[in-house]
Structure formats: structure tokens, C-alpha cells
Amino acid sequence: MKVATSKFLMSALLSLVFVLAFCSPARTQLIMGPEELVEANGIDIAVQGYSVPSFVFWNGDSLRDLVIGEGGGTSAVGKVRVYLNAGTNSGPVFTSYFYAQSLGSDVTVPASGCLGIFPRVVDFNIDGRKDLLAGLADGAIKVYLNTNTDADPRFDGGTFLQVGAPGSKVNINVGARATSVLVDWNSDGKKDLVAGALDGKLHIYINEGSDSSPDYRIESFAQENGADLVVPSWRSSPYVDDLDNDGKKDLLTGNTEGQVLLYSNVGSDQAPVFSGYMPIEADSVPIDLPGLARSRPFVCDWTGDGLLDVLVGAGDGLVHLYQGVGDIISVSSDKTQYSSGTASVLNAYPNPSNPDVTISFVLAKTSRVRLSVRDLAGRRVALLMAGVFDQGTHLITWKGVDERGREVSSGLYFVWLDVDGVTSSGKVVLVR
């Protein structure tokens, strides 16, 4: 009798926890397919030293091209490789490369340790021509202005970016391993400078000038739970954009260990604030490149399918590609009308399960949905559904198997529901 009572209480308690947990906000994450390596002429691209890739328009032909910073390690100089896209928007193809030019020679900077150069293509002075923003190994940041055409970029000798009050400016220096990007951090219509560094922080320089003539006066730092955000194992390498479709800019970053981490913005778009991170998975396993890889991610749409993909550079000199996963599976639903303003999880039953558990939730409107099961470490076990679903009640049954149809062991699992970028989570217990 005591055993039966205990099981009943456990089931009731866990069911209550499940329902309550689904009412609290959690974080979304990008869901990626298996790792691929980007090739040129049918051979894996391997630059000298550490790779820093981006996928951008270079020569004005409406096709995105591959731009890769190289150097560091055994290479004492940093350069910028350009691979023009000889394929299509849906199927990029690369053959040979050339180096970006400055004053008639290759753009060349001193390399040190794990960084040659961190290049990002920008229009720095808003003249309609692409320029080159360069984070340097010693912590400085330069901008190379385009002195030629937008379709055939060639650059001046570069200028160090500075910070401070007028008349007392000094060259910006983040300490070491500058990984810089331009982004409108405070949503005032002017581009600001955001830089990762060896210290793992996110160095912020708000533009107090104009968009065509930036003026950086004060250094500040991105915040996490009331303190300076410090990326685990250091060497932050930022990509900043709205990655969970909630209208607020988020942070995607690499680190020393070779991971890729998503910090969702829990503040506002005008004043980003962060509270923890989620590791980005590839084929259900968190990205964690071998050794001390120094991962440097860049988000793009590799094949023009509307899904976010991620390029990652690292110490192996390769360009690692992780393509976003599309719609996976449809689910049965009734079209019960629901007037509340948000999605609501109704139940998970039975809970504990042996092994089938049915998960139901309600959509107030047609929404993009991802529903997944995760283990205690946050690793994805199964993606149950992904796609756009109608207003109403939706049901799906998890049969206690992973994405390859293999039975998973008994224990506690988390169910994650993402509706238009807003995520909730709850617990289920599997008993075999």
C-alpha cells in the first residue's frame, strides 16, 4: 500500500511540476544538421593557421561569396582569402581564391597565437561600398576603407579605431584576440562596435557620432545576471542578431574549447541583457570541435532556403558548416478554438510513462513550432515536431525513442516547446 501511494504521489507531483514548468519562459536554440566541411575544387578548404569564415556579397554578382581570415599558429601573418561563388544561391560552389588587397598588396597584419585576422565585410562610412573591419591578434581593431568600387573592393592601408573623448582618444585595445563586429547595439539607428576577446567578455563601444562617421567614447561590457558576461573558457567570438525571432538581438559566440553558444536576450532590443546560454547542437550533439579549437561562428543562409545555417572557423584551418534543420514531422490536431494570447501546454499523460507519453498544447494562432525532448544535460534526444501549425489543440506521442528510433533509458527528461521564438519547458519521467 505504501508503494502504491508513493507512486501515486510521485506521479501527481511530477505532473504538477510538468504543468508549472511549461508556464515559465526558457530559451530557444538553433537546431542544426550534421557537420559538413566546405570545399573548393572538391577538396576541403584548409587555410593557413586559424580560419575565420563569413558568407557575404563580395563582387556584386548577386551571389554570396566565402571570405576567410587566416593566420596564427605557425603562420606569423594574417591575411583575408576570398572564394568567389561559381555556383548558385541554392548551391554554392568554390574553386580558386585570391587575397583581399590593400594599397596594391595583400592585406597583411601581424598574427599571434590563435588569431591571424578576424575580418568582417561592412560599409563603415556609408558610401555604398564595402569596407573591411579587422580584429587583430594584439587586441587592436582596424578598418580598411574601400578605395575602388563596390563590385571590386580594394582597400587603403587601414586605420586603427579609437575610443575616448574628443582630443584624448586612444587606439581601442581589448587586450588580445579582437573579434569585432558592427551592430546597432542600442537600436538608435547608428552602428556600434562590439568586440570579443581573449578575456571572454563582450566589449561594447556605443557610437556617439553619426552612422557615416562613428565616434566611440566609452567602453562598456555586455551584462549577464548583473555582472559582465564572460564566455566559458574565454575567447569570445560574437555574432549578434535576432536569432530566436522575438524582435531582440541575441548573441552567438564561440570559445576556446570549440563550442558554439547561444545567449538569448532577456532584456530589450535597446538594452540587451543575458542570463545563461544554450549550446548549439549539430545532429543532436552539442558542437564541440576537437582540442582547443577557438571556434569562430558566422550565421548565414547557405542555400537560400530561409533557414539559419552556421559556419564555424577553428584552429584546424577548415570551414565547418552546420545547416539548419527544416520541417521534420506533422502531427494530428483538432482545431479547437482558443482565445488566449499565447501557447499553453495542457498536459503530458501518463507521467510517469511506460514508455509512451502524449503531449498536448494549444496555439492561440497559427505559429512556427518546435517540440523536442532533451536529457538532463540539455542534449536533444528527439525532435518531435517542427514547422508551422494552425490555431488549436495539438497532440503528439513520444514513444521513448531517440531520433534514430532507438529506445532511451528510464529516467527524467525535459520537453521543450518553442512557439515563434518563445520557449517553455517541462519534465517527464520515463519508466520501462
Side-chain angles (χ1 to χ4, degrees):
M1 185 65 178
K2 288 183 179 180
V3 173
T5 302
S6 297
K7 286 184 177 180
F8 173 79
L9 291 175
M10 178 182 180
S11 176
L13 179 59
L14 287 172
S15 295
L16 178 61
V17 169
F18 183 88
V19 173
L20 291 177
F22 265 103
C23 296
S24 62
R27 302 178 184 86
T28 65
Q29 68 170 354
L30 303 173
I31 299 178
M32 320 308 297
E35 178 189 81
E36 305 170 52
L37 295 177
V38 179
E39 298 180 345
N41 282 321
I43 301 172
D44 295 342
I45 292 174
V47 305
Q48 298 183 55
Y50 290 75
S51 58
V52 182
S54 58
F55 192 48
V56 297
F57 296 108
W58 182 267
N59 62 346
D61 66 354
S62 77
L63 298 176
R64 284 185 172 83
D65 308 300
L66 188 62
V67 177
I68 312 173
E70 69 174 26
T74 59
S75 177
V77 298
K79 294 186 177 183
V80 181
R81 290 193 187 193
V82 180
Y83 291 82
L84 296 181
N85 185 355
T88 65
N89 279 319
S90 59
V93 174
F94 308 103
T95 55
S96 60
Y97 68 89
F98 57 87
Y99 285 111
Q101 296 292 293
S102 167
L103 302 177
S105 301
D106 298 344
V107 172
T108 303
V109 302
S112 177
C114 62
L115 183 63
I117 185 172
F118 189 97
R120 289 294 181 252
V121 175
V122 301
D123 183 359
F124 188 79
N125 55 357
I126 315 299
D127 64 355
R129 297 179 294 176
K130 55 183 68 70
D131 308 306
L132 195 65
L133 183 71
L136 306 183
D138 64 2
I141 300 170
K142 295 181 78 171
V143 62
Y144 292 84
L145 296 179
N146 187 353
T147 59
N148 201 42
T149 65
D150 189 54
D152 184 17
R154 301 175 193 177
F155 306 103
D156 66 10
T159 302
F160 288 103
L161 297 186
Q162 295 191 318
V163 63
S168 59
K169 289 187 178 294
V170 297
N171 291 346
I172 289 174
N173 194 300
V174 297
R177 313 301 183 260
T179 55
S180 50
V181 297
L182 291 183
V183 61
D184 186 0
W185 184 259
N186 59 353
S187 301
D188 66 352
K190 299 181 293 186
K191 58 182 171 293
D192 308 304
L193 179 66
V194 177
L198 174 64
D199 63 10
K201 296 184 179 182
L202 217 60
H203 301 245
I204 310 295
Y205 303 88
I206 297 298
N207 180 5
E208 299 186 36
S210 66
D211 202 36
S212 60
S213 183
D215 180 6
Y216 307 118
R217 299 191 179 185
I218 299 173
E219 179 187 55
S220 60
F221 300 93
Q223 296 295 291
E224 179 187 15
N225 296 325
D228 293 346
L229 184 153
V230 179
V231 172
S233 79
W234 302 356
R235 289 180 175 84
S236 48
S237 181
Y239 182 93
V240 179
D241 203 351
D242 180 8
L243 299 173
D244 54 15
N245 297 315
D246 66 353
K248 301 183 294 184
K249 59 182 69 69
D250 307 299
L251 167 65
L252 189 75
T253 179
N255 64 4
T256 298
E257 299 290 339
Q259 300 164 323
V260 180
L261 310 176
L262 174 62
Y263 289 79
S264 291
N265 183 358
V266 298
S268 66
D269 194 50
Q270 296 75 25
V273 176
F274 305 97
S275 180
Y277 63 87
M278 286 292 296
I280 299 302
E281 296 179 350
D283 202 23
S284 303
V285 178
I287 296 172
D288 190 355
L289 300 177
L292 302 179
R294 277 73 163 176
S295 45
R296 276 118 189 192
F298 182 87
V299 178
C300 62
D301 184 352
W302 186 254
T303 57
D305 60 2
L307 297 173
L308 295 181
D309 309 308
V310 179
L311 294 173
V312 181
D316 55 15
L318 303 173
V319 179
H320 304 258
L321 168 64
Y322 304 91
Q323 295 198 49
V325 175
D327 295 350
I328 301 300
I329 185 174
S330 62
V331 298
S332 61
S333 67
D334 64 48
K335 299 300 173 64
T336 303
Q337 295 299 302
Y338 186 69
S339 60
S340 176
T342 60
S344 173
V345 169
L346 299 179
N347 206 350
Y349 55 88
N351 189 14
S353 63
N354 182 24
D356 293 5
V357 56
T358 297
I359 301 162
S360 65
F361 61 92
V362 177
L363 295 178
K365 60 180 182 179
T366 299
S367 304
R368 180 168 291 276
V369 173
R370 288 186 185 275
L371 183 69
S372 62
V373 178
R374 299 176 180 274
D375 64 17
L376 289 174
R379 296 181 294 256
R380 198 177 84 206
V381 174
L383 182 61
L384 301 182
M385 56 184 290
V388 176
F389 297 91
D390 292 336
Q391 177 189 47
T393 301
H394 297 259
L395 305 173
I396 190 167
T397 298
W398 179 49
K399 294 184 174 296
V401 296
D402 65 14
E403 290 175 344
R404 298 179 182 178
R406 300 172 300 190
E407 291 186 354
V408 299
S409 59
S410 299
L412 178 64
Y413 292 88
F414 296 93
V415 178
W416 287 67
L417 174 69
D418 180 312
V419 179
D420 289 337
V422 178
T423 307
S424 302
S425 63
K427 302 175 182 178
V428 292
V429 174
L430 176 62
V431 179
R432 291 193 182 277

